[in-house]
Amino acid sequence: MIRENKLFDELTVGDSASVKRVCTANDLFVFAHASGNLNPLHLPEDEHHNGKANGETSEPVAPSMWVGALISSVLGNILPGAGTLYKTQTFRFVDRVHVGDELTVTVTVAEKRANNTVVLDTVITGRGGDVVADGVAEVLAPTRKVALDDDRLPDLLIRRHQHFDRYLEACAGMPSAATAVVAPEDPASLGGALLAAKRNLIVPILIGSAEAIKAVAKKHGEDLSGIEIIDVPNHDAAAAKAVEMARADQVQAIMKGHLHTDQLLRHIVKRDGGLRTGRRLSHAFIMDVPGLDHVLIVSDAAINIAPSLEEKIDITQSAIDLGRSLGIGQPKVGVLSAVETVNPAIPSTLDAAALSKMADRGQITGGLVDGPLAMDNAIDLQAAQSKGITSLVAGRADILIVPNLEAGNMLAKELAFIAHAEAAGVVLGAAVPIILTSRADGEKARLASCAIAALFKAWQVGGRSMIAETAE
């Protein structure tokens, strides 16, 4: 919106202007960065609000000076507008503001003084009209006419991972799944398993060299009290034992520790004694990307190197099922290629078109599938519209099906290391969820992988998501 300021001679006592503003969690994070005020009372997701600890939290309070700073948005943008300079401002803070509160910020010209000085009454009210803060501003009015566009500022990207937070919250109160942790013989894998246990996401059973596991725990101050350890001589035997326990229903999930993925999967995919189902095994990265209003599921980036069309059918169906377990009522699946048109010279476009048509005819169920789509028009609505693509999926994809493992792996790592996404990982298509974590994974990614496995298993058993659906 283009706004024009008012010069001193254009102002009249009684002139008034208002704006409305809803307090968001991101506002509190941005203000903490800008001001340096890191008081935990003002920070969402901090476990020390109002002095509480042990996971008990209360709602954060917006800093009073953040509330007061909203006055400048009216003074600097509307009345008097661009070119206004503060001389003084008084404040009386009457009430507290919390995330989600809608505020009305009003300034009214009270007096005009010599030397281009204007005095304005300032007041901020809540949704019910109750005063939150008031005071008096003394400013220098603009000296030349200026018209400015409200939208000229660059966007800010807040590095938060609130989608994973929802998954962790949804697991609260769910029974912890007995989980075979295979070869947790390094600090990352052992620490991740024990952290998930502390959050009641899993009941870990550690399978591997008892000597190595205990040595890592001792070196890093980890407490193994009450944790079952099954001592086996090597990684191959540890993987075999985990699969054996899953087949006997002694564990409900398997977590990869400090061993190669193919060592673990070799026992899972055995025709006799493995954990095969009627569906091809596939891997899914669940990406919590800052600035994106939904998670992004990328498949397959870790197991199927160059999947055939038949294998992509299973990969797509498994990804849809996972999306539904995470509360996406009807996941939108973009099948990726380098272009968005079918080209016989590019095999991935033919596969994408076939998958799309199979979904239309009910051979793939539970989601909307469209392709081929290039990456930009799969996730960016403006990019899709600029290319004239009319689709319920284009620009809105929840799931990205990649042409091959190389493309998926590069895409997932670009999102993680350039876009600062957190990436959880699970293997689908086995009799139990397989939790795959990387040595580079942070604490939240490890916890989220366990939570997602639990939510997926609950969906398989109960037929509904433990998270409220987000379908449009």
Side-chain angles (χ1 to χ4, degrees), residues 79-97:
L79 188 71
T84 300
L85 290 173
Y86 255 128
K87 292 183 72 176
T88 66
Q89 171 77 59
T90 64
F91 277 123
R92 181 179 68 113
F93 296 105
V94 180
D95 202 356
R96 301 300 176 191
V97 173

Side-chain angles (χ1 to χ4, degrees), residues 113-137:
R113 296 177 179 172
N115 300 320
N116 217 40
T117 299
V118 182
V119 178
L120 305 100
D121 293 326
T122 60
V123 63
I124 301 172
T125 58
R127 195 183 300 271
D130 296 331
V131 174
V132 171
D134 57 17
V136 176

Side-chain angles (χ1 to χ4, degrees), residues 280-304:
R280 176 84 178 183
L281 256 66
S282 61
H283 177 271
F285 273 121
I286 303 89
M287 314 294 297
D288 193 339
V289 185
L292 198 62
D293 63 1
H294 57 88
V295 292
L296 201 58
I297 297 172
V298 178
S299 189
D300 182 340
I303 294 180
N304 295 285

Side-chain angles (χ1 to χ4, degrees), residues 309 337 341-356 372:
L309 174 59
S337 185
T341 55
V342 177
N343 184 338
I346 306 178
S348 60
T349 68
L350 301 177
D351 287 351
L355 292 170
S356 179

Side-chain angles (χ1 to χ4, degrees), residues 8 33 43 56 58 79 96 105 149 240 245 252 278-279 286 291 343 392 425 436 448 451 469:
F8 183 82
H33 275 283
L43 294 177
E56 185 182 2
S58 60
L79 188 71
R96 301 300 176 191
V105 185
D149 187 345
M245 294 180 72
Q252 289 75 55
R279 187 176 294 177
I286 303 89
N343 184 338
L392 293 174
L436 283 190
E469 289 189 357

Side-chain angles (χ1 to χ4, degrees), residues 379-407:
I379 63 169
D380 187 275
L381 191 57
Q382 185 174 350
Q385 291 173 343
S386 70
K387 293 189 177 182
I389 301 173
T390 302
S391 164
L392 293 174
V393 174
R396 308 177 180 88
D398 304 298
I399 297 169
L400 300 176
I401 301 299
V402 298
N404 52 49
L405 182 145
E406 292 172 304

Side-chain angles (χ1 to χ4, degrees), residues 166-167 170 323-329 464-471:
R166 289 178 61 223
Y167 301 157
R324 292 178 64 193
S325 77
L326 299 180
I328 307 172
R464 69 180 187 87
S465 173
M466 303 299 291
I467 301 175
E469 289 189 357
T470 58

Side-chain angles (χ1 to χ4, degrees), residues 15 24 41-42 54 76 139 165 174 179-181 210 214 335 337 378:
D15 286 351
T24 70
L41 287 172
H42 303 315
N54 300 320
V139 304
D165 293 334
M174 288 176 57
T179 301
V181 187
K214 290 175 182 178
V335 188
S337 185

